[in-house]
Amino acid sequence: MSICEKFDSRSSGYVIASRRAHWPTAAAAAIYFAICLLVQWSAGAWSAPFTMYPDEPAHFVGSVMMRDYLTSGHLMQPLAFARMYYGHYPFFALGHWPPVFYLVSAVWYLLVGVGRGQALILQAAFATGTALLIQWFLRRRADRATGFCAGLVFLGIPEVQRWMCAVMIDHLVTLLCLATAACAIHYLQSPSLRNGIYVGLLASAAALSKYSGIYICALPLATIVIDGRFYLLRRLSFWIQPLLMTGTVWVWWLLTKNLDPYHAHGGSLTNTPVEFLQAWRIFPAGIAALVAVGLLLLLLSPREWKGDVRITVLLFLGLIAFLSLSGEDAERRYLLTGPAALIILAAAGWHALFKRQWPAALARFRSILPAAVAVSALGLCAINFSAFPHQTDRSIREAARLVSQELSSQPGPILLTTDMKGAVIAEVLLNDHHRPSFDLVRSDKSLASRAWEGENYAMKYTTVAALMGALRSEQIRFVLLHTDRREIALPHDVLLRRGLSEEASLWRTVPAFLSAGLGDSWTLLEYAPEHAGFNRSPEPPGRIR
C-alpha cells in the first residue's frame, strides 16, 4: 500500500470516527429542541400576545428595529434611524439594554422573517444550548447518559420553561455565561492564545447581552487565583481576556453614557441569603430534594473538587454575589444560571456516589440506583411540566390586527392609553408589512411625563379643555382605548376618557370594532367632527376611573 493510500484510509477512518462521536450530541440537541417547542406549544406561546412581562414587547420591537436598520442603507446614521423608528413605534430601549441580543435576533429575522414564532424558536435554541452545555460539563466526568438527563432536568424546571415562552434576554445570558465557564475550563487545560480569545469574547458577549451577566468577566481571574496558577498572569493568553472585555464594554459605555442606562440601586452582601433562596426556590420541591442530596454528596467527596467543579461553584457564587451587590430585585429570571450550575454540581455528587466501592451486600443496588435517580428526576419534571402561568387573553392580538387592517390606508397618529401600550405596539408592528408605516403615540409620553421606572410622574394637562386641545394640535386622529378593571388608570388616562366622553359627538367608534366581538375591552375611536350626530353615545360614567 502506498503512502497516499495509507493517508487516505487513515483520514477517512478519522472522518467516520468523528461523525460517530458527534451524532449523540446532535441527537441530544434534537430532543432538547423538540422539548422546548413542545413546552411553547402546550403553553400556547406562539399565538399569545407580548404580555408575559412588561419588557417583552420592548425586546421584540428593538430586535425588529435592528433588523430594519441593517437593511436600511443608513448604517452610518444609527441614532437618526432609531429616533425615526421610535417616532413610529415608541417602545424599545436599545441603549438602555446592550446590543448583543438585538444583533442576534436581527440576523435571525433576516434569515427566517419577522414573527412571534420565529422569536420563540430563537428562545428555544438558547435553552437547548444551555442544556447541551450542562451535558458537556457532566460528560467530562461521568457519561453521556448522566449529562443528557441533567439537561432534561434543567429544561423541566417550570421557571426555565416560562421564560422560553417569552421574548426575553435571560436565556441568552444563561447560555453565554455557561459557555464562558466551559471555555475557562478549556483555557486551564490548554492556556493558548486562541482559548484566551474565546473566553474574552464570550464574557464580553454575556456582559453586552444584559448587565446582569457582567459578573462573568471576573471568572477567569477568580479561577486562576483559586487554582493557584499565578504563572498564567505573565502570559498574553490571559491578558487578552480583560483587554477584550474592557475594550468592548468600554466602547459601549462611551456610546450610551448620555442615555443614563446605568441605575445603581445599591446593595450589599447581606442580601446574599435572599438571592440564594430565590435561586433555590426555582426548583420544584422533589427536584430540590434530589439536588440537595447531590450537593451534600459532593461536599463529602473532596477528591471530586477538580477544575470543572471549582469553576462551576465560582459561576454560581459570582451570580449570587453580583445580584446581592447590585441591589436588583430578586427576580427569578435573573437567576437561571444558578439552577444550571447547581444541577451540574448535584449530578457530579451523585456520580461520585455511584463510582465508589460499595460493600458486597449492597453491590447489587449499585447498578440500579443511577437509573432510579434518573427516573425519579425525570418523573418529577414531567409532573411539573408547563406548571407556570399561561397567557390566556388573546383579545389584544385581534385588536391590533384590526388597527393594522382598518388604518393601513388612513394616515394619522394613533394615541394609545398607558395599559397594554407595549403589547399593542409590538402587535401592530408585527402586522405592519411596510415598516414603519404607522404613527403610534403613547399617552404616558404625550399627555404626561415620568422617569424610566415610573418615578417623578407629572401630568402635562390638568383640564379636559387643555388636554383635548392638545389632541387637536397634535392632529391625533385615532384613540385606542383598553378597559382593564384589574388596573387603576393613571390620572392623564382618566382625564382623557372624561374628555372623550364629553366630546362624544366628535369621536366615533370605528365600525370594525363594533362587530369584532371584543366586547367593551377594546375600542378604537376616530376624530370625525364631520359625522357629528351619527356617533356613539357618551361613555357611561362607571367606565371613568
Side-chain angles (χ1 to χ4, degrees):
M1 182 182 292
S2 67
I3 294 177
C4 292
E5 288 174 340
K6 289 181 180 179
F7 178 80
D8 290 340
S9 64
R10 288 176 182 176
S11 61
S12 62
Y14 173 80
V15 170
I16 293 173
S18 178
R19 289 176 179 174
R20 288 176 178 173
H22 285 92
W23 79 260
T25 301
I31 294 172
Y32 290 153
F33 189 68
I35 290 173
C36 294
L37 296 181
L38 179 62
V39 169
Q40 294 173 345
W41 174 79
S42 65
W46 296 334
S47 60
F50 295 90
T51 55
M52 178 69 82
Y53 191 81
D55 292 344
E56 184 184 12
H59 294 321
F60 179 75
V61 175
S63 300
V64 178
M65 186 276 292
M66 179 65 77
R67 181 260 179 215
D68 292 342
Y69 164 69
L70 294 177
T71 59
S72 66
H74 301 285
L75 296 181
M76 302 306 294
Q77 300 173 307
L79 289 178
F81 184 87
R83 291 191 185 100
M84 180 277 295
Y85 215 91
Y86 193 87
H88 292 274
Y89 294 104
F91 204 79
F92 61 87
L94 179 56
H96 180 87
W97 285 299
V100 168
F101 174 81
Y102 302 104
L103 285 170
V104 171
S105 299
V107 172
W108 175 246
Y109 294 153
L110 285 172
L111 295 174
V112 301
V114 175
R116 180 170 174 83
Q118 292 90 319
L120 291 178
I121 287 174
L122 196 58
Q123 295 293 321
F126 295 153
T128 297
T130 301
L132 284 173
L133 282 172
I134 292 172
Q135 181 190 46
W136 178 87
F137 269 83
L138 291 167
R139 190 184 67 195
R140 296 169 53 82
R141 63 167 50 242
D143 51 39
R144 290 185 184 274
T146 301
F148 177 70
C149 290
L152 290 178
V153 170
F154 176 76
L155 295 179
I157 298 173
E159 197 71 17
V160 172
Q161 295 177 354
R162 177 184 182 185
W163 298 113
M164 73 173 69
C165 293
V167 184
M168 297 291 284
I169 306 178
D170 304 283
H171 269 298
L172 175 60
V173 177
T174 301
L175 171 62
L176 290 174
C177 287
L178 212 59
T180 304
C183 279
I185 293 174
H186 267 307
Y187 176 75
L188 288 181
Q189 293 177 337
S190 177
S192 63
L193 181 61
R194 182 178 65 177
N195 286 338
I197 291 174
Y198 287 158
V199 173
L201 290 177
L202 283 169
S204 301
L208 291 178
S209 292
K210 194 174 184 180
Y211 300 121
S212 60
I214 201 168
Y215 72 94
I216 201 66
C217 294
L219 182 66
L221 178 59
T223 301
I224 288 174
V225 171
I226 293 296
D227 266 22
R229 302 192 186 187
F230 296 103
Y231 65 90
L232 293 174
L233 298 178
R234 299 191 299 268
R235 296 191 179 183
L236 176 62
S237 62
F238 169 77
W239 287 106
I240 194 68
Q241 300 172 39
L243 285 174
L244 287 171
M245 296 174 201
T246 55
T248 52
V249 174
W250 181 71
V251 168
W252 179 251
W253 178 80
L254 285 179
L255 293 173
T256 61
K257 63 179 181 178
N258 293 329
L259 301 177
D260 191 27
Y262 313 100
H263 298 280
H265 299 282
S268 70
L269 289 177
T270 57
N271 297 327
T272 300
V274 176
E275 300 292 349
F276 177 80
L277 286 175
Q278 280 290 79
W280 188 258
R281 288 170 182 167
I282 291 177
F283 292 114
I287 298 295
L290 290 175
V291 171
V293 173
L295 293 175
L296 179 61
L297 291 171
L298 185 61
L299 286 173
L300 297 175
S301 307
R303 291 183 179 180
E304 299 298 321
W305 285 68
K306 299 178 182 178
D308 57 341
V309 168
R310 288 194 291 268
I311 287 177
T312 307
V313 170
L314 288 174
L315 177 68
F316 178 76
L317 294 179
L319 170 67
I320 299 299
F322 173 78
L323 293 177
S324 300
L325 292 171
S326 67
E328 290 288 342
D329 294 335
E331 295 187 43
R332 293 182 180 181
R333 62 192 178 92
Y334 295 151
L335 293 157
L336 295 184
T337 308
L342 292 177
I343 288 171
I344 292 170
L345 296 173
W350 280 106
H351 177 70
L353 174 66
F354 300 151
K355 72 177 186 179
R356 287 181 182 175
Q357 291 294 331
W358 287 35
L362 300 176
R364 59 179 178 175
F365 296 106
R366 185 179 179 183
S367 59
I368 300 175
L369 186 59
V373 172
V375 170
S376 299
L378 297 180
L380 290 168
C381 289
I383 292 173
N384 292 284
F385 182 80
S386 196
F388 58 89
H390 296 177
Q391 299 158 284
T392 57
D393 184 8
R394 302 292 193 270
S395 64
I396 188 172
R397 304 206 76 184
E398 179 63 14
R401 186 191 66 80
L402 288 173
V403 168
S404 305
Q405 176 181 300
E406 295 297 316
L407 308 186
S408 59
S409 60
Q410 302 184 55
I414 307 167
L415 182 67
L416 309 177
T417 51
T418 303
D419 56 334
M420 294 292 183
K421 61 183 181 298
V424 171
I425 292 171
E427 292 291 345
V428 173
L429 174 66
L430 194 57
N431 287 280
D432 186 357
H433 302 296
H434 303 283
R435 297 184 303 270
S437 61
F438 291 98
D439 295 324
L440 303 182
V441 180
R442 291 169 49 176
S443 67
D444 60 337
K445 296 289 187 181
S446 62
L447 306 181
S449 63
R450 56 179 176 174
W452 171 261
E453 296 184 352
E455 65 272 20
N456 302 324
Y457 172 85
M459 294 175 63
K460 293 182 178 179
Y461 310 99
T462 56
T463 66
V464 168
L467 186 146
M468 300 307 290
L471 295 190
R472 284 186 280 273
S473 66
E474 294 180 18
Q475 299 181 338
I476 299 295
R477 185 175 176 186
F478 300 95
V479 177
L480 181 64
L481 296 174
H482 177 237
T483 302
D484 188 349
R485 293 180 174 83
R486 295 170 298 179
E487 297 184 6
I488 302 300
L490 291 173
H492 67 271
D493 283 333
V494 173
L495 196 64
L496 171 64
R497 292 177 183 274
R498 184 174 293 121
L500 293 172
S501 179
E502 292 181 6
E503 295 188 3
S505 61
L506 303 178
W507 295 82
R508 69 166 185 169
T509 302
V510 174
F513 272 73
L514 295 173
S515 57
L518 294 174
D520 62 355
S521 60
W522 293 95
T523 303
L524 181 63
L525 303 179
E526 178 184 8
Y527 183 63
E530 68 276 10
H531 292 94
F534 299 94
N535 298 319
R536 64 190 178 98
S537 58
E539 190 171 344
R543 296 278 290 282
I544 301 175
R545 296 168 292 164

